Amino acid sequence: MNRRYVHGYDERESIRLQDQASSVLELLHSDTRYPAGSSVLEAGCGTGAQTVTLARNNPDARFTSVDLSKISLEEAKKRVAAAGLSNVQFRQEDIFALPFAPASFDHVFICFLLEHLARPLDALRALQKVLKPGGTITVFEGDHGSTYFHPDNELAHRAVRCLVELQKLAGGNANIGRELYPLLREAGYGEVHVSPRMVYVDASKPKLVDSFTRKTFAAMIDGVREPAVQAGMMSAQDFDAGIRALHRAAEDDGVFCYTFFKAVALRETKS
Amino acid sequence: MNRRYVHGYDERESIRLQDQASSVLELLHSDTRYPAGSSVLEAGCGTGAQTVTLARNNPDARFTSVDLSKISLEEAKKRVAAAGLSNVQFRQEDIFALPFAPASFDHVFICFLLEHLARPLDALRALQKVLKPGGTITVFEGDHGSTYFHPDNELAHRAVRCLVELQKLAGGNANIGRELYPLLREAGYGEVHVSPRMVYVDASKPKLVDSFTRKTFAAMIDGVREPAVQAGMMSAQDFDAGIRALHRAAEDDGVFCYTFFKAVALRETKS
């Protein structure tokens, strides 16, 4: 499996993930609550963009947050400490070789993880093993193919597709949000429920225009400018025009649309 | 203005609109309620697919439902009569030359109308004139550019774009849903609030798979097969493969996504 992380691990990316978590926080976490005393595995916690909110919203649950990247984990630890939270234990682990006993956790939570994996089904199966029968898995993923905007612009769509292609070359799938239902079913989970969370942004929501359209989405696409141009996917000129078109959609008469998908499923007791 | 109606007026289309209204009925009408005694203009009622629900959900409001097509109005009258409703008056009128006095109506309702007009802004302005200051306009439109599905398929996307192109040639805009905010603002309405209504369909919702993915969306695209092929937009073979791919998304491991946009805005009292 190719483990290159398409967004990179630099500071700008860290800010972007933070912005993303802030602006879609409500969308994701508003209905993610765990009972007191639950043990929850957060697999692929990255720099802890979701961990802080998870731990704060569920003060009586215990989180075990794992990631492959030591650098990301250091950042995550700092964030959680800065938030004054003490219900998170961090561990550097590979989700394909988790050291936990079968049925160790009451619940599993993953966010923006499957999109980066060449074998998302195997990951879901590996996570199912450490989940107690009757426990839930919560999955949150984006889908770059859900992106559209006004004014429409073909170069902007092509720039978005550069990220999709680069992520594919790195072994991932940036359009995986729409696939959560069949993936979870095929991995053997039961009672799969998928709930799309569309981010609709117009000028009546100036904070979201800034935090999501500009600083999350356009910034994320702009972040692959160099590899996209170097791979000959687009000329620098066309790519920059595409980015300008995304910013154009953030103006007063512009509109931007993107959809995240949240899925919740059960490890069935009979399995 | 080109007044060709891209879907045609045949029986199959009538069934499609009915299916569409049934499957997205809840999405559209669940929060569309008018106070007792209100006078509501439904502009472009077509064959009455929405009229029956509007009139039933608002038994103490009085509807004036107008359309340019006498044939559609006859069908609409039959439907409303069959439903035992008596709070709808039908009139054959041109929305660009409405015979009503200024500020005649408490509210205006339009659904799947703007997408067919070459001058949607002028239509919104014309409707504003007959709306009382402080009254609302409710607008419901689809956006074919919001369509995506799993498994993904380029020929299916091309077939969808054939309808978008044909509608453009007929003077319309099949991707108008995302533009409701700037259109209503530019037309002079106040307090514009746009609420996307995404239709997400997977195998856990078999009725919606059948009524929406197959009988509404795939059927609508298939409905432009002949003009699309005759215009040289796609070969018949490619178009049919695209339609099969849309039906493939209706299978047990398939997913289909489409978004309608609902907007509510005010005629401001100062205007």
Side-chain angles (χ1 to χ4, degrees):
Chain A
M1 197 189 85
N2 188 330
R3 292 240 173 82
R4 278 168 53 206
Y5 185 69
V6 71
H7 303 308
Y9 288 106
D10 60 353
E11 193 186 347
R12 177 177 172 179
E13 174 60 16
S14 176
I15 293 167
R16 188 188 69 77
L17 284 179
Q18 181 62 42
D19 277 339
Q20 183 167 294
S22 298
S23 60
V24 302
L25 211 73
E26 188 62 25
L27 271 179
L28 162 59
H29 289 279
S30 60
D31 53 356
T32 302
R33 291 296 182 278
Y34 297 107
S38 306
S39 62
V40 183
L41 172 66
E42 185 195 8
C45 64
T47 60
Q50 313 301 325
T51 315
V52 170
T53 305
L54 270 178
R56 185 180 286 140
N57 286 348
N58 299 279
D60 300 320
R62 290 169 289 112
F63 293 88
T64 302
S65 296
V66 307
D67 202 273
L68 202 58
S69 160
K70 198 173 179 178
I71 299 167
S72 294
L73 283 168
E74 290 304 321
E75 172 73 16
K77 279 178 199 170
K78 280 184 207 158
R79 272 192 187 165
V80 164
L85 297 161
S86 59
N87 55 336
V88 185
Q89 185 188 26
F90 288 100
R91 294 180 58 152
Q92 188 180 0
E93 302 292 353
D94 180 346
I95 57 166
F96 291 100
L98 291 170
F100 309 113
S104 296
F105 294 95
D106 294 316
H107 302 285
V108 170
F109 176 93
I110 58 177
C111 181
F112 308 144
L113 171 67
L114 300 180
E115 61 163 324
H116 297 294
L117 304 179
R119 297 184 287 123
L121 263 178
D122 289 346
L124 290 173
R125 288 181 181 126
L127 293 168
Q128 195 171 204
K129 281 185 191 155
V130 300
L131 180 60
K132 288 182 188 166
T136 65
I137 184 168
T138 296
V139 185
F140 204 64
E141 295 286 346
D143 190 315
H144 293 358
S146 74
T147 309
Y148 53 99
F149 35 84
H150 172 74
D152 204 1
N153 181 285
E154 185 52 28
L155 291 175
H157 281 293
R158 282 185 56 203
V160 174
R161 286 197 294 268
C162 285
L163 175 49
V164 174
E165 281 307 307
L166 287 165
Q167 198 151 331
K168 194 184 280 182
L169 290 171
N173 177 2
N175 295 350
I176 204 166
R178 74 189 73 173
E179 296 187 34
L180 294 185
Y181 181 84
L183 281 170
L184 284 159
R185 294 276 295 165
E186 195 175 345
Y189 289 87
E191 296 187 29
V192 181
H193 179 75
V194 174
S195 158
R197 306 284 162 111
M198 183 173 170
V199 184
Y200 165 82
V201 192
D202 64 32
S204 69
K205 306 168 182 172
K207 278 180 68 176
L208 208 52
V209 169
D210 194 56
S211 70
F212 191 74
T213 308
R214 288 198 189 97
K215 290 184 180 158
T216 299
F217 192 83
M220 174 180 71
I221 302 301
D222 202 25
V224 300
R225 182 183 187 274
E226 296 315 313
V229 170
Q230 277 178 19
M233 290 173 176
M234 283 180 83
S235 71
Q237 197 175 3
D238 281 355
F239 192 93
D240 292 343
I243 297 296
R244 282 197 301 277
L246 290 176
H247 283 278
R248 173 68 187 82
E251 291 182 22
D252 269 3
D253 60 348
V255 172
F256 185 81
C257 301
Y258 185 91
T259 298
F260 294 94
F261 290 80
K262 176 175 185 172
V264 179
L266 284 188
R267 175 170 180 183
E268 293 188 303
T269 46
K270 62 189 171 190
S271 70
Chain B
M1 196 191 86
N2 188 329
R3 292 240 172 82
R4 278 169 53 206
Y5 186 70
V6 70
H7 302 307
Y9 288 105
D10 59 353
E11 192 186 348
R12 178 176 172 178
E13 175 59 15
S14 174
I15 292 168
R16 189 187 70 77
L17 284 179
Q18 181 63 43
D19 277 340
Q20 183 167 293
S22 298
S23 59
V24 301
L25 210 73
E26 188 61 26
L27 272 178
L28 163 59
H29 289 279
S30 60
D31 53 357
T32 302
R33 292 294 182 279
Y34 296 107
S38 306
S39 63
V40 184
L41 173 66
E42 184 194 10
C45 65
T47 59
Q50 312 301 326
T51 315
V52 169
T53 305
L54 271 177
R56 185 181 285 142
N57 285 348
N58 299 280
D60 300 320
R62 289 170 289 109
F63 293 88
T64 302
S65 296
V66 307
D67 202 274
L68 201 59
S69 160
K70 196 173 179 179
I71 298 168
S72 293
L73 283 168
E74 290 303 321
E75 172 73 17
K77 279 179 198 169
K78 279 184 207 158
R79 273 191 185 167
V80 165
L85 297 161
S86 58
N87 55 337
V88 185
Q89 185 188 27
F90 288 101
R91 294 180 59 153
Q92 189 179 2
E93 301 292 353
D94 180 347
I95 57 165
F96 291 100
L98 291 170
F100 309 112
S104 296
F105 295 95
D106 294 315
H107 303 284
V108 170
F109 176 94
I110 58 177
C111 181
F112 309 143
L113 169 67
L114 299 180
E115 61 163 324
H116 297 293
L117 304 179
R119 296 183 287 124
L121 264 179
D122 288 347
L124 290 173
R125 288 180 181 126
L127 293 168
Q128 194 171 203
K129 281 184 193 156
V130 299
L131 180 61
K132 288 182 188 167
T136 66
I137 184 168
T138 296
V139 184
F140 205 64
E141 293 286 346
D143 189 315
H144 294 357
S146 75
T147 309
Y148 53 100
F149 36 83
H150 172 73
D152 205 1
N153 182 285
E154 186 50 30
L155 290 175
H157 282 292
R158 283 184 56 203
V160 174
R161 285 198 294 271
C162 285
L163 175 49
V164 174
E165 281 307 305
L166 287 165
Q167 200 152 331
K168 194 184 281 181
L169 290 171
N173 177 3
N175 296 350
I176 204 166
R178 73 189 74 173
E179 296 186 35
L180 293 185
Y181 182 84
L183 280 170
L184 284 158
R185 294 276 294 166
E186 196 176 344
Y189 290 88
E191 297 188 28
V192 180
H193 178 75
V194 173
S195 159
R197 308 283 162 111
M198 182 173 170
V199 185
Y200 165 81
V201 192
D202 64 33
S204 69
K205 305 168 182 171
K207 277 179 70 176
L208 208 52
V209 169
D210 193 58
S211 70
F212 191 74
T213 309
R214 290 200 188 97
K215 290 185 180 156
T216 298
F217 192 83
M220 174 181 70
I221 302 302
D222 202 26
V224 299
R225 181 183 187 276
E226 296 314 313
V229 171
Q230 276 178 19
M233 292 173 175
M234 283 180 84
S235 71
Q237 197 175 4
D238 282 355
F239 193 93
D240 292 343
I243 296 298
R244 281 196 302 275
L246 290 176
H247 283 278
R248 173 69 186 80
E251 291 182 21
D252 269 2
D253 61 349
V255 172
F256 186 82
C257 300
Y258 185 92
T259 299
F260 295 93
F261 290 80
K262 177 174 183 170
V264 179
L266 284 187
R267 176 170 180 183
E268 293 188 302
T269 46
K270 61 190 172 190
S271 71

